[in-house]
Amino acid sequence: MTALHQYQRLEAAGLWRENETAQRREVIVGLRDATIILTDPKTDMPLTQWSLPAIVRVGEFAGFVTYASAADGIETIEIDDTAMIAAFDKLRGVIDRRRRRPGRLRGALIVGLATAVVAGAAIWMPLRLTSFTAERLPQAARDQIGAIALADIQKTTGSPCGARIGKIASENLARRIDPISPPQILVMREGLTRPTFLPGGRILLPYDLVAAAEGPDYLAALVLAEMVRADSQSPTEVILQYAGFLASFRLLSSGSLPASAITGYGLSL
């Protein structure tokens, strides 16, 4: 149950008795969303917590109203703060009215549960489909998706650096990192702010980052870090999540991803 808005965070002094043989103890009674918390005023340490729907009014004497944490009346609190007493009484009235309509509450719970299930399925199914599709694509399809993504990215970054000496350096670095299956390292002139791994083994590096590097070891570390990140989160799956549920379904059924499905992907980077 949610407490009425005007009573949220209300606090008052009270006398708490843990059981019938315990001495009364001064505490601070704090009203929260669905509970009250009894706190030691000297240390600010919580002593106990009561559920609002379980609280019972058990007596009144000399301006003090006594409440119990449950119907057995073993643990009690005495309060003389009129605002807190009014809050308790109003909340107890709300609780009683709700208890007199179990059918409505049950219906609300059923509707809420059904809504949660539908919402969960709506969230889970697209994510699971993109993951399922990314896991089962052949290498040719991954290469195609990487090429489509690169074409969109180049709308923002321009073409990769094409100087012959730069290409040779990139190829040598790639072979150093992985002599068996070297990645394709492309240096993007502008717009890119971080290394990016694309499907098909393409790794994009920002030109500013390459220009500021002190040597090839630093660049190799960046490329290796991006390759490790790609192992934990598939670059293909990242692009399919951007493309959306329908594009993933079409790719799974037809084997092709339209370029329009990832328009703007470059800007998102």
Side-chain angles (χ1 to χ4, degrees):
M1 189 209 71
T2 301
L4 300 181
H5 180 71
Q6 63 266 38
Y7 295 128
Q8 289 182 357
R9 313 300 296 183
L10 184 65
E11 293 186 345
L15 296 174
W16 171 57
R17 188 169 66 174
E18 189 173 4
N19 53 58
E20 295 176 349
T21 60
Q23 294 291 327
R24 290 178 176 84
R25 179 175 178 179
E26 185 176 350
V27 296
I28 298 298
V29 182
L31 187 59
R32 301 297 183 260
D33 280 347
T35 62
I36 64 168
I37 297 177
L38 307 186
T39 306
D40 187 329
K42 297 179 181 178
T43 64
D44 289 332
M45 293 292 294
L47 300 171
T48 187
Q49 187 174 23
W50 293 8
S51 170
L52 277 173
I55 294 176
V56 179
R57 180 168 176 162
V58 296
E60 182 176 356
F61 179 76
F64 282 85
V65 176
T66 303
Y67 297 91
S69 62
D72 56 22
I74 295 176
E75 187 179 3
T76 61
I77 183 76
E78 298 175 17
I79 302 172
D80 66 347
D81 185 281
T82 55
M84 183 64 79
I85 293 171
F88 274 17
D89 289 345
K90 192 164 188 177
L91 291 170
R92 288 173 61 249
V94 171
I95 294 168
D96 289 342
R97 287 195 297 273
R98 292 183 178 181
R99 283 173 176 165
R100 287 195 289 268
R101 298 178 190 145
R104 179 177 296 182
L105 178 60
R106 188 181 301 112
L109 289 174
I110 292 172
V111 171
L113 180 60
T115 302
V117 170
V118 171
I123 295 172
W124 177 83
M125 284 185 65
L127 293 177
R128 187 67 192 99
L129 179 65
T130 55
S131 176
F132 178 85
T133 304
E135 290 170 0
R136 284 156 179 77
L137 284 179
Q139 187 59 46
R142 297 174 192 272
D143 292 343
Q144 180 196 28
I145 292 172
I148 294 173
L150 178 61
D152 189 80
I153 290 171
Q154 287 183 104
K155 296 176 184 177
T156 303
T157 64
S159 300
C161 295
R164 183 173 178 274
I165 190 170
K167 285 185 176 182
I168 294 173
S170 296
E171 291 170 359
N172 290 338
L173 179 64
R175 282 194 295 269
R176 233 178 115 184
I177 292 170
D178 188 347
I180 298 174
S181 181
Q184 182 184 3
I185 300 174
L186 301 174
V187 179
M188 313 309 289
R189 299 176 187 279
E190 57 186 15
L192 199 65
T193 59
R194 60 175 177 80
T196 300
F197 198 116
L198 294 181
R202 299 174 178 87
I203 297 180
L204 312 185
L205 296 179
Y207 174 81
D208 291 343
L209 191 151
V210 174
E214 295 182 357
D217 289 344
Y218 175 71
L219 295 176
L222 290 176
V223 172
L224 283 169
E226 192 63 18
M227 292 172 71
V228 170
R229 190 181 70 83
D231 285 339
S232 62
Q233 185 176 27
S234 164
T236 305
E237 185 176 348
V238 172
I239 293 176
L240 291 182
Q241 287 175 358
Y242 178 86
F245 175 80
L246 293 178
S248 297
F249 181 79
R250 178 175 175 179
L251 175 62
L252 186 63
S253 59
S254 68
S256 64
L257 182 72
S260 59
I262 59 171
T263 297
Y265 179 70
L267 286 174
S268 73
L269 297 177

